[in-house]
Every structure is written in structure tokens, then in C-alpha cells.
Amino acid sequence: MHKYLGRQINRQSKGYTIVELAVIISVIGILAAITIVSYSGWRKYSIETQLKSDLSGVASAMKNALTFNNAYPAEVPSTFEPSDGVTLTGGGSADGKSYCVSAVSSSDVAIVYHIDSYSTGDSAQVGGCTPITIPITSISSITGTPQVFQTLTAGTITPSDATVSYQWQSSTTSDGTYTDIANETNNTYVVSPSVMGKYIKVVVTGTGSYTGTKTSTTSTAIAIDSNWLTIGTQTWAKKNLNVGTKIAGTTEQTNNSTIEKYCYNNDEANCTTYGALYQWDEAMQYTNTE
């Protein structure tokens, strides 16, 4: 009887109670979770290190391109190849003065880093590229003589290397409502008879990496020229036009920002007496608009 009971006790000691099994399962779960977390952390660290390394190479490639071309290229130079599974997006700005490149790995597209020339320097940062925005802060006064057929020039822009678009405007009073002068979108404006007595401004708007709009101060009124007569909204010449620089009759008048004229027998005195001669495109200042 004693031996039988002993065998029974030994057989029972090889099993586990419900509580013991619960504890064992919990321990196994904790160990598995620790293993998963450790692997996940190592994997993320590995991807981040890879992206940062690639972006450091991108910075070097972009700097080399800037050295040789005086501008950042629109894309990462083909001489630099990213690691397997890494995709690079971005490049130089439209004016070539700055760049931003993002990197993402196919192993985990949620992990994104970027590097740029205007805020992060040589250090890769978390997240993708953000738009480059450099504000236009000022424009100085218009220069030139406010008279018909004289050239007015827009003032200096700040920042000095900003890229901008231009629009010349006129108004009947210095503090009135200014409207655009059709087709006058260069940094210079050859004063038209149609704006005699009016006031002139020029508006600049940032382009590329530059943003914002600035308006110049108002010019003095365009001087009234006695050779012209304004009737209603139209301005008429009182005699044959004689403006511009005389060129030889055998030479074509061209779109070169200079008003060119012909004189009878290539004699300037004839231009004074009879007026100058112009080819159609030169008279129209190379536009199809009045």
C-alpha cells in the first residue's frame, strides 16, 4: 500500500497546476514581447542609419554640383546612387540657389528623413521636405526720367538675388487706383504717350523660392509732351514720330530693347524735318497688342 501511494505521488509531481501554467505562459509572452520590441527597435535603427548615410552622400553630391555649375541641380546627380530599397525625391530649387532631398526606405515607408541647404545643413532630419519660402522684403524707387519714350527702371529688390516677375501700373492720381499697363512685364518700361500726365508704379512678385509682393513708390507724373494730343482715352501724335536711334537703312530693326529708326537718305536732318521711318514690328514694339 505504501509503495502504491508513493508511485501515485511521484506521478502527480510531474504535472503543473493551472496557476503554474498561467505563470509559465505569461513569462513566455513577456519574453516574446521583449524579443519583438528589441527586433523592431533594431530594425528601425538600421533603416534610420541607412537613410541618414544616404542623405549625407546626397549633401556631398549637391555641393560638388554647386561648385562646378554655380547652382544646385534640379535632381540628385546620377553619380550618387542610393542604397538598395532607398528612394530619393527632390533636388534643387528653380533658381538653383537651394535644395531639399527626402529619403524613404521600402522596408518601412513610414520612416522618412530629409536634408536641405537652408535649415538642416549637413544633418539629416526627420520628415520630408517642406517648401522653401524666402519673402521679398522691399523694392527701391524707380529710376529714369518720367517722360514719353524715356526708359524707367525698377528699383533694387531685397533680397538682392531674388527671382521676381514685374508688372508696371499707372494711375491718373498719385494716390488713386493703379491698373496694369498691358504687356509691360520687364524690369524696364519705355514710357508710352498713353500715360502722359499719369503716375507710375511697378509691382514685383516673388517666383521660385521667393514669395510675396512688393510695390515701388510712385513716380512723379509723366511729363506732358507738346508733340502729343490726348482726346478722351486716346493719345495722338501731332506730327510724324521721330524717336529712337538712327540705324543704316540696310540694317534690320530688331527686338533689342532699343527703339531704332530709319531716316531718308540716312540723314538725321531728314528725320527732324519729315519724321522717322519704322518697320511694323519695331513700331509695335514686338507685340500684337495696341
Side-chain angles (χ1 to χ4, degrees):
M1 181 68 178
H2 177 71
K3 289 181 179 179
Y4 175 77
L5 291 173
R7 285 196 297 273
Q8 289 287 71
I9 292 170
N10 288 338
R11 190 160 39 246
Q12 291 172 357
S13 66
K14 292 180 181 178
Y16 298 95
T17 66
I18 295 299
V19 173
E20 289 172 332
L21 286 173
V23 171
I24 291 171
I25 292 171
S26 296
V27 171
I28 292 174
I30 291 171
L31 291 175
I34 292 173
T35 301
I36 293 171
V37 170
S38 297
Y39 172 74
S40 176
W42 171 84
R43 181 171 173 274
K44 180 181 179 183
Y45 174 78
S46 177
I47 293 173
E48 290 177 337
T49 300
Q50 181 185 52
L51 296 180
K52 290 178 181 179
S53 176
D54 277 19
L55 288 174
S56 177
V58 166
S60 296
M62 296 299 277
K63 287 179 182 177
N64 287 337
L66 174 66
T67 299
F68 288 102
N69 302 312
N70 201 32
Y72 290 114
E75 298 178 349
V76 177
S78 58
T79 53
F80 176 81
E81 293 196 12
S83 303
D84 290 341
V86 173
T87 300
L88 302 175
T89 57
S93 57
D95 57 12
K97 299 180 186 301
S98 56
Y99 77 86
C100 185
V101 176
S102 297
V104 62
S105 172
S106 59
S107 299
D108 190 340
V109 295
I111 302 176
V112 182
Y113 275 77
H114 76 276
I115 196 164
D116 61 53
S117 62
Y118 49 89
S119 64
T120 63
D122 295 329
S123 176
Q125 301 294 318
V126 175
C129 290
T130 55
I132 306 169
T133 55
I134 306 172
I136 303 297
T137 57
S138 67
I139 177 173
S140 60
S141 300
I142 297 169
T143 58
T145 304
Q147 293 179 359
V148 171
F149 293 118
Q150 294 297 310
T151 299
L152 301 182
T153 302
T156 302
I157 311 297
T158 304
S160 59
D161 57 354
T163 54
V164 298
S165 62
Y166 295 87
Q167 178 60 64
W168 292 85
Q169 298 181 332
S170 68
S171 173
T172 55
T173 59
S174 61
D175 57 353
T177 300
Y178 283 77
T179 57
D180 293 349
I181 302 173
N183 302 310
E184 297 300 338
T185 55
N186 296 318
N187 69 321
T188 59
Y189 168 51
V190 178
V191 179
S192 165
S194 64
V195 297
M196 283 192 302
K198 294 184 178 180
Y199 297 82
I200 305 296
K201 286 183 178 181
V202 61
V203 178
V204 293
T205 302
T207 60
S209 303
Y210 297 89
T211 60
T213 297
K214 290 294 178 181
T215 303
S216 71
T217 55
T218 305
S219 72
T220 55
I222 302 300
I224 301 297
D225 188 331
S226 60
N227 292 314
W228 299 85
L229 175 66
T230 298
I231 303 175
T233 59
Q234 296 180 322
T235 302
W236 299 81
K238 292 182 179 179
K239 60 182 182 180
N240 287 335
L241 187 65
N242 179 27
V243 295
T245 301
K246 182 180 75 67
I247 62 173
T250 55
T251 304
E252 288 291 315
Q253 294 176 349
T254 58
N255 186 9
N256 57 4
S257 300
T258 298
I259 298 176
E260 296 170 325
K261 67 181 181 180
Y262 299 130
C263 298
Y264 288 111
N265 296 323
N266 290 322
D267 187 345
E268 183 74 45
N270 286 330
C271 276
T272 302
T273 303
Y274 305 110
L277 301 173
Y278 305 89
Q279 292 181 323
W280 177 260
D281 287 339
E282 186 75 14
M284 291 295 292
Q285 285 295 282
Y286 302 90
T287 74
N288 294 321
T289 305
E290 247 182 71

